[in-house]
Structures are given as structure tokens and as C-alpha cells.
Amino acid sequence: MAALRNLLRGEKIVFGLLSRRQFHGSAPAAAQLTYRDALTQAMDEEIERDETVFLLGEEVAQYDGAYKVSRGLWKKWGDKRIIDTPISEMGFAGIAVGAAMAGLRPICEFMTFNFSLQAIDQVINSAAKTFYMSAGAVSVPVVFRGPNGCSAGVAAQHSQCFAAWYSHCPGLKVISPWSAEDAKGLLKSAIRDDNPVVFLENELMYGVPFEVSEDVQSKDFIIPIGKAKVEKEGTNITLVAHSKSVGHCLDAAVALAKEGIDCEVINMRTIRPLDIETIENSVMKTNHLVTVEGGWPQFGVGSEICARIMEGPAFNYLDAPAVRVTGADVPMPYARILEDNSTPQIKDVMFSVKKVLNV
């Protein structure tokens, strides 16, 4: 009987250990947040935080936004805070700029930044220059936001990247987020900023989920404007990109690692002001540089980065000329195969990296 009791006691101990191991065996799943929902959260939280914040644009209210970025906000906040406008970009962009001059903090949504060309006088001449022309007496805290760059199958007039266009103008801050973390933290910072901000989203990223920390889910989470992020550290070459191209660089880095090439990937986050210090520090470590963007090559974001590197202390650390990966220098074709060959792909990044490293 004593032997039987010992045997049963031993089985209980073993069973208890196995149960505890199984119970503690898997880590809790990380929270996921889509790019779209990150933007929605940011606007919702800032509208709640500050009674001067409101959203206006085409179909942003009852229809929940053309891309559902403002989903649920009209039902929650009503007509005073979420305002549908006529199809008149110059008109409602002007309303947004005037409201900002009067002390409000409007978020002006363009259904696509291609349509912002209808309102570019308001963005450049009215919003960007007023603080300077008023000797600092009149701030214009407005955010112009919406999808930017190429989408899929929408051809030449709806596929332009405006990062270089707007970052050319002093007085504007220009943001181009890649991840859900970027989207939420930077949009909240843009809304709180006292300067006009052009916030360039990416239509193809709206439904993409990203793992986010508890900090990102907090209502107090913000990301400072003008600071890039090193998404992946490396030693052989620096890849600098913004928006969707950051993902291409990370995918290329994974593939190149299998061939023994260690890439450092920098997510620019902000186009203007440009965090050149982070890029310079990386180049001085890796001695090689490739820039990646979806826009046209001439006078593009990559051109500015290369010029700054040439003019600054990092130039003497380069072991090979810097190379740009860009969209093709043509209006965007409609045909799918031509569209794919007109926009940067992972293979293009890999080819350029090998070209720079001469491998």
C-alpha cells in the first residue's frame, strides 16, 4: 500500500508539472492594428482631447470616408466635428486654412493627394507662408491628409507621389508614415503642431495589420516630427525609404541576408524636416547608401538625401557612389504589367544593393 501511495503521489507531481508547462507554454499574442485603424484612433483621440479639432472633406461623415478612415467618427461626434464638403478642393481647403487662422485645428482630408492640385494655392500660398508673412503673428495649425502615391490600376492622373512636391516648400512639415505605429503617433503629433502639416498616407497600406505595443495603444502615444527610425540595424549598406517602400527594403534585407549582405534599413517617417543626422550616422557606419521611393527620379526625395550626404561629413565615408531606386520617369501606365515595372519592387532594391557593393 505504501508503494502504491508513493506511485500515485509521483504521478500527481508529474501531472502537475506537465500542466504548468502547458499553461505557461505560449506567450500572449501581440496586439495587431491596421494602418487604417491607427489613423482612425489618432483622429478620434485628438477630437476627444481638444475641442478645436475637427475633420472635413468629401464623404468623411455619413459615408465614413472614401477609404473608411473616418469610420464611426460622424456617429460619435456629429455634424459639428465631422463635416462633409462639396466636391471642391479649393473651397474646403480654404475653409480649413481660414479656420486654422481663427484658432481651430482642422484636419482636411483629400480623397487622394492627386486632387490636392486643385487646392495647391491654399496649401502653399495661404497655409505655408502666412506665419512668415505675418511675422509670426498668425499660426496655421492645419493637417492636410489623404492617400498619396500609386495605388493599383488607377493610371497617370491618380498615381503621383507628392512627397517631393510639398517638401520643396518652406513653411510646411511633410510626413510619410509606413507602419500603424507611425500612422498613429505622427498623425497625433501633426494635429497638435502649430504649423501646417502635409500627411501623406498610402492607399495600399490601409488594410495592412502591424503588431503594436501597449504604448502605441495608449491615448498619450505620440512620435516626434522630424525623427527617423532605424527599423533594422546592419553593417554593410544603408537603405533609406519612406511609406510603402520601407516594407520593400525590409523584405529585400531578409533576402539579402541569406547571401551574406547585412542591410541597415531607415524609415524616414518625416520628409520635411529631414532627419539627415540619423542617415549620416548610418552611412558613416556602413559606408554605402541606397535610397528608395515611389516618386519620380528628377528632384526627388532620394536626390535631396544624396545631395545632403555629398555636402556633409558622411561623404568621406562612402566607399561607392550612392544609388537611387525610384519610380520610372513616365506618367503611370494603366496596364498592370507596365505599372509593376514603373514602381520600385523588391528585386530592384536587391539589384541596386548588389550594384553598390559590387557583388
Side-chain angles (χ1 to χ4, degrees):
M1 288 296 292
L4 180 60
R5 280 197 299 272
N6 289 335
L7 177 63
L8 292 173
R9 189 180 299 117
E11 288 180 348
K12 286 180 180 178
I13 292 170
V14 171
F15 179 75
L17 288 171
L18 289 173
S19 299
R20 284 196 293 273
R21 283 176 187 157
Q22 290 170 355
F23 183 77
H24 295 291
S26 58
Q32 289 200 329
L33 185 67
T34 65
Y35 191 96
R36 174 188 290 109
D37 290 340
L39 296 165
T40 308
Q41 280 187 18
M43 291 191 290
D44 184 31
E45 291 169 7
E46 292 305 299
I47 289 170
E48 180 181 28
R49 174 182 172 273
D50 186 344
E51 64 181 8
T52 67
V53 176
F54 69 98
L55 172 68
L56 77 164
E58 297 159 352
E59 300 182 343
V60 298
Q62 297 186 45
Y63 189 67
D64 284 339
Y67 298 99
K68 306 306 176 189
V69 176
S70 55
R71 181 168 45 201
L73 296 184
W74 176 70
K75 290 180 180 178
K76 181 175 181 179
W77 298 107
D79 292 325
K80 186 177 179 181
R81 309 294 293 278
I82 313 296
I83 302 170
D84 274 331
T85 66
I87 303 174
S88 176
E89 282 77 15
M90 176 166 279
F92 66 75
I95 290 171
V97 172
M101 291 177 179
L104 300 179
R105 291 186 177 272
I107 307 166
C108 177
E109 177 180 308
F110 293 121
M111 191 179 292
T112 159
F113 259 93
N114 298 279
F115 299 158
S116 75
L117 291 176
Q118 301 290 329
I120 198 165
D121 181 61
Q122 299 288 1
V123 178
I124 299 297
N125 282 326
S126 298
K129 299 175 183 176
T130 294
F131 184 75
Y132 174 82
M133 294 178 70
S134 68
V138 181
S139 297
V140 189
V142 59
V143 177
F144 300 103
R145 53 155 293 269
N148 169 69
C150 68
S151 178
V154 292
Q157 293 179 332
H158 296 78
S159 300
Q160 298 160 112
C161 176
F162 287 87
W165 292 55
Y166 286 117
S167 63
H168 184 64
C169 179
L172 291 176
K173 293 185 178 181
V174 182
I175 296 172
S176 183
W178 166 64
S179 65
E181 175 182 319
D182 295 347
K184 181 175 181 181
L186 288 166
L187 182 54
K188 289 170 72 73
S189 290
I191 294 168
R192 299 182 190 188
D193 200 285
D194 289 332
N195 299 283
V197 179
V198 172
F199 195 90
L200 303 171
E201 301 156 13
N202 188 287
E203 179 184 339
L204 297 176
M205 299 295 296
Y206 281 140
V208 178
F210 291 85
E211 290 187 358
V212 293
S213 65
E214 290 184 7
D215 290 340
V216 175
Q217 299 173 67
S218 167
K219 291 184 178 181
D220 297 322
F221 177 75
I222 60 171
I223 294 173
I225 296 172
K227 184 62 180 173
K229 180 183 180 183
V230 178
E231 296 287 350
K232 177 192 175 298
E233 293 192 353
T235 57
N236 297 139
I237 191 167
T238 298
L239 306 180
V240 183
H242 67 94
S243 190
K244 190 172 183 289
S245 295
V246 176
H248 288 338
C249 289
L250 289 170
D251 290 340
V254 171
L256 289 165
K258 298 175 182 177
E259 302 180 35
I261 300 173
D262 189 14
C263 301
E264 181 149 299
V265 179
I266 295 178
N267 172 11
M268 294 178 67
R269 285 181 164 174
T270 305
I271 311 300
R272 185 184 183 110
L274 176 63
D275 183 7
I276 193 62
E277 183 179 351
T278 295
I279 299 171
E280 284 178 338
N281 290 339
S282 178
V283 170
M284 287 190 281
K285 178 177 71 172
T286 67
N287 310 116
H288 300 90
L289 173 65
V290 171
T291 66
V292 187
E293 62 183 306
W296 292 314
Q298 188 155 326
F299 310 116
V301 174
S303 301
E304 177 65 18
I305 293 171
C306 292
R308 295 274 196 101
I309 292 297
M310 185 190 72
E311 294 166 350
F315 176 71
N316 292 323
Y317 289 79
L318 285 174
D319 288 341
V323 168
R324 296 173 297 153
V325 178
T326 71
D329 197 20
V330 295
M332 182 64 69
Y334 173 72
R336 175 65 184 273
I337 189 169
L338 296 178
E339 181 183 74
D340 288 345
N341 281 279
S342 298
T343 55
Q345 305 294 330
I346 297 169
K347 62 181 177 61
D348 301 318
V349 179
M350 295 178 65
F351 175 83
S352 294
V353 167
K354 292 179 180 180
K355 175 183 177 182
V356 171
L357 294 176
N358 196 28
V359 295

